[in-house]
Structure formats: C-alpha cells, structure tokens
C-alpha cells in the first residue's frame, strides 16, 4: 500500500463514518443572504426589522453585524442593540470593554461583512445591504447552539459566530469575538497599499 493509498483509504473510512452519523462532507452547505434594503437609524427601527424576529440563527448573525456597525457613531445604541440580540443574557462591563478594545482604530471591521465591502473601497458596502451567512457540517454539533460563518471582504476565511436557541424558540447571540478580530486595513489608511 502506497502513501497516498493510505490517505485515500482513511478518507473513505471517515466519509463512511460521517454518512452513518447523518453528516456528509460532500453535501453543499446552506448559505443565506440576509438583505437590508435600508439601514435603521434608531433602536426602534432596528427591533422592527423583519430579521429582528430572531427566528433563525442566520437572521441573528446578520443582525449582530448590523448592530456592531453602530458602535463608531453611538456606542450606547450599539450596546442596547447587542443586549437585544443577547436576549436573557445582557452584557456586563467586561463584554463592553472587549467591544471597545476591538474598535480602537478599526471601525471598518463590521462593515467588511457586507457584500461589496473591500479594502480597495474603504469597506463601503453595496446597496441593498447584504450579509451572507453560511453553515457547515458542524454548525449544529452542539445541541441548541449554531456555529455559523460570515465572509469578510478583508479576511481570507469566513469568521465564526455562535447563536443559542432559547426556550422561546428565538436564536440569541452567544459568542461573537471572532467577527470583531482585525482584518486588512482600508487602502486609504494603509501606507503599504
């Protein structure tokens, strides 16, 4: 048995095991494009959006990106929106400090998740405002938790975000640190671009 034969055999066994568990790597994973025709300006408009029903983890993930876009303009409004998305688990001081630390000189990070936003256009999204949210074969590996992925125009790989389903049937924001990590600088502020 050659070296590559061993890998092929191992891969076939792994695929067979995955199929037995009802999970197949060969299946296309679901992608949803969440579209905002216009952006809210107030908390009331934010909570009145159709996606604010939080009936799917995809909606909640996109709403989180939208909420973080408010931080540079009005951090208290952003915190209020995030608390809405977190449901029965409001933010504490450490959560707010974490967000503040991520936004130092990087107000463009949340905009990068909108379609059309790239370093070359200083992360200006296309209209209508669209966020693609993806799942993979491990998205629902933990009961009641969905780990989804959102592509960024400034990162090589989609960033994970976790949502948790509550007793009320809604999906709430659970873990979001990765979507606030640094990305490539906008070209206008990058001396090396």
């Amino acid at each position: 048995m050659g070296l590559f034969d061993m890998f092929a055999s191992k891969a076939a066994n792994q695929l067979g095991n995955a199929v037995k568990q009802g999970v197949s790597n060969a299946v296309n994973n679901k992608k949803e494009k969440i579209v905002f025709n216009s952006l809210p300006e107030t908390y009331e408009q934010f909570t009145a959006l159709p996606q604010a029903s939080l009936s799917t983890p995809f909606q909640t993930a996109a709403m989180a990106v939208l909420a973080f876009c408010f931080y540079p303009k009005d951090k208290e409004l952003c915190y209020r929106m995030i608390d809405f998305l977190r449901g029965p688990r409001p933010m504490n001081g450490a959560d707010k400090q974490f967000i503040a630390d991520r936004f130092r000189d990087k107000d463009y990070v949340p905009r990068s998740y909108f379609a059309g936003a790239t370093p070359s256009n200083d992360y200006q999204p296309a209209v209508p405002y669209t966020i693609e949210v993806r799942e993979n074969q491990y998205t629902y590996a933990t009961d009641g938790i969905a780990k989804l992925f959102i592509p960024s125009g400034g990162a090589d790989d989609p960033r994970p975000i976790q949502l948790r389903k509550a007793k009320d049937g809604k999906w709430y924001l659970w873990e979001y640190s990765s979507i606030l990590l640094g990305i490539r600088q906008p070209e206008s502020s990058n001396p090396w671009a």
Side-chain angles (χ1 to χ4, degrees):
M1 177 185 262
L3 178 62
F4 294 110
D5 294 334
M6 180 180 72
F7 290 125
S9 175
K10 183 178 178 181
N13 287 337
Q14 287 174 339
L15 181 58
N17 291 338
V19 170
K20 288 177 189 173
Q21 296 171 354
V23 178
S24 173
N25 292 333
V27 174
N28 287 336
N29 295 305
K30 183 177 177 181
K31 295 178 188 179
E32 269 193 39
K33 290 184 178 185
I34 308 295
V35 178
F36 302 99
N37 291 320
S38 62
L39 299 180
E41 295 180 18
T42 66
Y43 177 81
E44 292 73 24
Q45 290 173 353
F46 179 80
T47 58
L49 289 168
Q51 297 85 354
S53 68
L54 311 181
S55 60
T56 73
F58 294 88
Q59 290 177 336
T60 306
M63 291 290 287
V65 169
L66 181 57
F68 284 121
C69 288
F70 282 86
Y71 187 88
K73 182 178 175 183
D74 186 341
K75 68 180 180 179
E76 292 305 319
L77 177 58
C78 172
Y79 292 152
R80 193 170 170 206
M81 292 172 171
I82 296 299
D83 272 341
F84 169 78
L85 297 174
R86 288 174 58 118
R89 191 177 61 114
M91 287 191 297
N92 59 35
D95 295 322
K96 292 177 181 180
Q97 186 58 51
F98 175 81
I99 293 169
D101 290 346
R102 300 291 85 71
F103 272 95
R104 281 195 176 73
D105 301 324
K106 294 183 178 97
D107 69 341
Y108 50 86
V109 172
R111 289 194 319 266
S112 77
Y113 295 103
F114 285 93
T118 64
S120 63
N121 68 8
D122 288 337
Y123 295 109
Q124 293 305 310
V127 178
Y129 303 97
T130 305
I131 300 170
E132 182 178 279
V133 184
R134 303 174 181 176
E135 67 179 24
N136 69 17
Q137 65 268 27
Y138 305 109
T139 289
Y140 303 101
T142 303
D143 192 35
I145 305 262
K147 183 176 183 179
L148 298 173
F149 300 85
I150 308 174
S152 162
D156 294 331
D157 296 313
R159 300 284 174 90
I161 184 170
Q162 291 185 19
L163 305 308
R164 184 172 183 177
K165 192 170 189 177
K167 292 178 188 177
D168 63 5
K170 294 181 180 181
W171 288 90
Y172 291 103
L173 187 58
W174 189 248
E175 207 293 316
Y176 49 83
S177 62
S178 293
I179 66 167
L180 297 178
L181 293 176
I183 56 173
R184 288 185 285 280
Q185 285 180 280
E187 286 187 11
S188 66
S189 64
N190 183 353
W192 305 104

